[in-house]
Amino acid sequence: TSTRFPFCLLLLVFTICNASTELRVKKVGVVIAPGFELLDALGPYETLKEVQNQYYSNIDIAKRTWGTPTRTKCTDEHGDLQITVELVGHTDASVKSSSGVAMAPEFDLSLDPDGTQFDLLVVGAGVETREVTDYVKRHHESGGSLLTVCTGASLPADLGLLDGHEATTNSLFLDEFRTRFPSVTWVDLADDTQRRFVRSTPSLTTTAGITAGIDGTLGLVAEWCG
């Protein structure tokens, strides 16, 4: 018994230390479907991919130089955080965008019936299929977050997730959205150079047109990584 106690104590300490140093991962899925808007998807995707690949660790912001390794990390109050991003859709075949460029999803959402694979889904214009809408609903119900780009805001609006909240979208479609979704307070950011996205709910961020999706993504990265 006396020899087993130190061993058990050592095992407990090792388990605790290992758990405390385990790298946590935040998984992001950028949704694509036939007719999706290319930049709505690739703006957030490329932004997150650069974070995933830790490009920031080679940037000296103070000197504005590249190639000098720094100690910069993506961390929050719980420690180091790894961000991963994938293109996702309800197929493993190539999907053609509205501009004709075809891309293949890296993850088939039909393999995740509970909607729990990702912490965040990015929803841009042109992905509002029945399968995607059903998946987004399950994802949200399971505690997942959403970032919408441009008219992708119509998807959570259709689900009632924006009712009673502020939201934004491409300014060209604000009048249409105010008619279609009168329970949402639609905010026009066309002339606001300082505000490019709206935190509609704690788990739902809506952005203005196209490139504003990059701003919304960077806003979330700043929250996640400090």
Side-chain angles (χ1 to χ4, degrees):
T1 303
S2 60
T3 57
R4 289 178 57 192
F5 178 74
F7 174 78
C8 292
L9 181 60
L10 181 63
L11 181 60
L12 177 61
V13 170
F14 174 81
T15 302
I16 293 174
C17 291
N18 189 56
S20 64
T21 58
E22 183 179 352
L23 183 64
R24 293 170 301 110
V25 179
K26 188 174 288 290
K27 298 180 180 180
V28 182
V30 178
V31 181
I32 61 175
F36 74 98
E37 172 57 48
L38 193 65
L39 192 53
D40 285 5
L42 292 191
Y45 179 87
E46 178 63 17
T47 301
L48 292 164
K49 185 60 73 171
E50 293 199 3
V51 177
Q52 176 179 323
N53 293 334
Q54 300 181 3
Y55 289 175
Y56 53 80
S57 65
N58 289 296
I59 299 175
D60 188 322
I61 296 177
K63 296 180 180 179
R64 297 176 181 269
T65 58
W66 165 268
T68 303
T70 68
R71 295 183 178 180
T72 304
K73 293 183 177 181
C74 179
T75 60
D76 61 13
E77 66 273 18
H78 302 295
D80 292 350
L81 180 67
Q82 174 69 46
I83 295 174
T84 65
V85 59
E86 295 179 285
L87 294 175
V88 302
H90 277 86
T91 179
D92 56 5
S94 293
V95 175
K96 187 175 290 187
S97 70
S98 60
S99 62
V101 176
M103 307 189 74
E106 299 164 282
F107 181 83
D108 186 346
L109 294 177
S110 63
L111 301 177
D112 179 33
D114 296 328
T116 57
Q117 177 71 16
F118 298 97
D119 300 291
L120 173 74
L121 288 180
V122 178
V123 177
V127 303
E128 299 91 338
T129 66
R130 185 179 64 182
E131 291 83 3
V132 169
T133 300
D134 288 345
Y135 183 85
V136 168
K137 184 174 185 293
R138 294 193 300 272
H139 166 81
H140 184 266
E141 290 174 344
S142 68
S145 298
L146 294 172
L147 171 72
T148 69
V149 184
C150 197
T151 56
S154 65
L155 196 156
D158 273 326
L159 292 172
L161 304 182
L162 294 174
D163 288 356
H165 301 286
E166 284 191 345
T168 194
T169 186
N170 188 317
S171 59
L172 298 176
F173 295 87
L174 281 169
D175 289 341
E176 175 188 333
F177 276 35
R178 285 168 179 150
T179 300
R180 288 176 59 189
F181 311 109
S183 296
V184 182
T185 302
W186 294 101
V187 180
D188 187 352
L189 301 183
D191 298 318
D192 191 339
T193 59
Q194 302 301 314
R195 190 184 185 197
R196 301 276 282 160
F197 57 91
V198 173
R199 176 56 64 86
S200 300
T201 74
S203 62
L204 210 168
T205 301
T206 55
T207 75
I210 307 180
T211 56
I214 298 174
D215 297 280
T217 303
L218 288 172
L220 291 176
V221 170
E223 290 182 15
W224 297 339
C225 298

